[in-house]
Structure formats: structure tokens, C-alpha cells
Amino acid sequence: MAIERTLCIIKPDAVEKRKAGAILALLEENGFQVLALQRSHLTKHVAEGFYAVHKARPFFGELVTFMTRSPVVIAVLEREDAVAKYRGVMGATDPAKADAGTIRKLHGANVGENAVHGSDSLENAKNEIAYFFPASVVAPSA
Ligand code: CMP
């Protein structure tokens, strides 16, 4: 298995509940290195750009409103097989369907307010990392 990087966004609901530290600790316990970390309050423009792939979905407006309502914490994670491993630790999109012990089961409320985002492929991980972190902060990986 190759060493990979993936992008984690700790969403406004989890940051508001002061769970960012607990989520980062869980990720470290699961073998992830936190390569870069940023707290920011996303603008509408930045959130719409990040979720552009979902633009035609009926929940797009709700998603952007939620993601811009208060600050998020954005992390670049690295470990072996990081994309798949993080998706496992994160749990299903709907916290009600997520496995016990996953971040979304522990901290998510519903399919919209589900505590964290994670990249769904290695290609998207590279694009999502570059969207938030310049090469001077995280040098692009191979
Ligand atoms: P995320 O991994 O951030 O990527 C897209 C997000 O859209 C997803 O997590 C969900 O939080 C959100 N989403 C998916 N389906 C719905 C829905 N039916 N209503 C509101 N938000 C949704």
C-alpha cells in the first residue's frame, strides 16, 4: 500500500461543539499524520467552488449555507492508504447509517450536519488539498 494524502474538513457543527480536537486525536490514533492545519470561515464563493461538483443537487444551497455559517478546521492527512482508511474512520454520509465508533456516528447529527468531509478518491484529494493549501505549505505529492 502506498503512502497517500487526503483532505479532512471538520465542519461547522463539530467546531461549534468544540469537537475539532477530539476528531484530530482520533485521526492520530488511527495512524494519520496531520501535515497541515487551517481554521477558516469559508466565504460563499470558496464553499461554492469547493462543492462545485454538487451544484445541480437539490441540497446545494443548504450545503453552502451550512458550510459558511461558522468556521471550519481543514487538515491534510497522510498515512498508508489514506483515502480509503479515512473514509472508514469517517463513516457513512448519513450518521444514522455510520458504523459505531466512526467520526460521523460519534459527532454527526444528520446527512447535512455530519461533522466531517473527506476526499472520495486520490485524484480528488490532490485537487482538494491544492484548493486550500498552496505548494509553499504542502508540497504536491507524486
Ligand atoms: P461531504 O463529504 O462534505 O460532501 C458533500 C456533502 O453534501 C456531504 O458530505 C453531505 O454532508 C452533503 N449532503 C449529501 N446529501 C445531502 C442531503 N440530502 N441534504 C443535505 N446535505 C447533503
Side-chain angles (χ1 to χ4, degrees):
M1 287 284 179
I3 299 291
E4 295 175 353
R5 293 173 184 174
T6 190
L7 189 84
C8 160
I9 302 179
I10 303 175
K11 297 185 178 184
D13 58 326
V15 177
E16 288 164 5
K17 290 187 242 169
R18 313 272 199 284
K19 294 300 179 191
I23 290 169
L24 290 169
L26 186 72
L27 290 167
E28 288 190 330
E29 283 158 17
N30 279 273
F32 292 90
Q33 283 285 1
V34 179
L35 292 193
L37 197 58
Q38 172 187 318
R39 181 184 191 270
S40 66
H41 195 156
L42 303 184
T43 64
K44 185 167 185 272
H45 178 77
V46 167
E48 284 178 348
F50 183 76
Y51 282 118
V53 66
H54 297 300
K55 201 168 178 157
R57 304 284 192 96
F59 58 81
F60 183 71
E62 192 184 321
L63 176 60
V64 170
T65 298
F66 165 57
M67 290 300 291
T68 56
R69 103 179 163 199
S70 62
V72 297
V73 172
I74 310 170
V76 179
L77 305 175
E78 184 175 86
R79 63 155 287 163
E80 198 177 83
D81 198 23
V83 173
K85 287 285 191 299
Y86 174 48
R87 292 185 73 75
V89 175
M90 184 168 64
T93 302
D94 182 352
K97 296 178 186 155
D99 290 339
T102 60
I103 296 170
R104 283 170 165 167
K105 179 58 99 184
L106 287 168
H107 302 297
N110 55 59
V111 75
E113 301 202 8
N114 59 0
V116 285
H117 164 82
S119 310
D120 63 2
S121 69
L122 191 55
E123 189 189 351
N124 283 343
K126 288 179 181 175
N127 292 334
E128 291 181 0
I129 290 167
Y131 190 80
F132 287 113
F133 294 92
S136 57
V137 175
V138 181
S141 55

